[in-house]
Each structure stands twice: as structure tokens, then as C-alpha cells.
Amino acid sequence: MKDVSDLTAAEYDVIINKGTERPHSHPYNHKWENGAYCCKFCGQKLFASDHKYDPGCGWPSFFDKYDIGAIDIHTDYSHGMIREEIVCSSCGAHLGHVFPDGPQPTGLRYCVNGTSLIFQGEED
């Protein structure tokens, strides 16, 4: 696990302060290689690349998590909305939100800040 002092200002804003990166700003939005997307803060595997899809929202999106225990969900009342926040179950890092408008088989869209992730390719 990293120390918070190891995070860049942008990473700290998203991961610790629950900020949001600008849509279409992170390279992971257009990354399609095989591998796993892991928590930038602790390294836990969060999403498999074969669960990634492009809903056109501007953030890396997945229709399922890596495994059943990878993500915790909390109700988020910020910004005058009621949303479901997703966090890393291991370290509590803010990842983004989950919405009920994704493809089958889950019908979910895990909308994730690329800043919260680190990609681990199959060859790594």
C-alpha cells in the first residue's frame, strides 16, 4: 500500500477527497489490452479487462467487478444527488460510482476514475 504522500495532487483529490477527473481525460478510457485494473493505492484487483466496455460517458466503465469482494458500495448524497459510490474494499480508495444502466449480464455500469486505477497487463 502506498502512503498518501506518494500520491500526486490529482490522485489525492480523486482517491482521498472523492473527487472526479474530467470526462475523456484519462488514457484508460481508451485502453483495451488484456489484464486487470487494480487499485492505484493498494494494488488490489478491482476489474478484469474483459468486463470493460465503452458506454460513451468518458470514464473507464465495467459491467462487473473482478470478484465478489473487490468493491464496497456506499450511498453518496453529495452534489444534490443520491448515487452509489464504489470504493476499494481493501483500502477504501474512492473509485467512482455504479449505475443501473449497464449491459447484461449484470445491468450495471461501474463508472471509474482512471486516476484510481493501475493497469496490470497479462504479461506483467
Side-chain angles (χ1 to χ4, degrees):
M1 182 178 302
K2 287 186 170 189
D3 184 273
V4 293
S5 64
D6 294 332
L7 297 173
T8 66
E11 291 168 348
Y12 189 91
D13 182 55
V14 170
I15 293 168
I16 306 300
N17 290 337
K18 302 181 182 198
T20 302
E21 66 199 15
R22 289 184 340 273
H24 306 284
S25 66
H26 200 280
Y28 287 170
N29 194 42
H30 304 288
K31 188 172 191 65
W32 300 105
E33 289 84 4
N34 291 329
Y37 291 84
C38 304
C39 177
K40 179 83 173 215
F41 196 61
C42 74
Q44 175 173 250
K45 288 182 180 176
L46 301 171
F47 302 99
S49 60
D50 59 351
H51 294 158
K52 189 172 188 285
Y53 74 105
D54 184 6
C57 66
W59 289 276
S61 297
F62 306 84
F63 64 82
D64 206 357
K65 53 199 170 297
Y66 192 83
D67 66 37
I68 197 162
I71 307 256
D72 287 337
I73 299 175
H74 305 285
T75 303
D76 175 4
Y77 298 99
S78 66
H79 307 289
M81 298 179 274
I82 300 174
R83 300 177 291 172
E84 299 297 313
E85 176 194 15
I86 53 175
V87 300
C88 174
S89 66
S90 178
C91 69
H94 173 74
L95 305 171
H97 294 86
V98 62
F99 301 98
D101 60 1
Q104 293 304 316
T106 65
L108 299 174
R109 173 173 52 101
Y110 292 88
C111 186
V112 185
N113 291 288
T115 304
S116 299
L117 302 173
I118 188 78
F119 181 76
Q120 181 182 36
E122 285 185 346
E123 66 281 347
D124 293 341

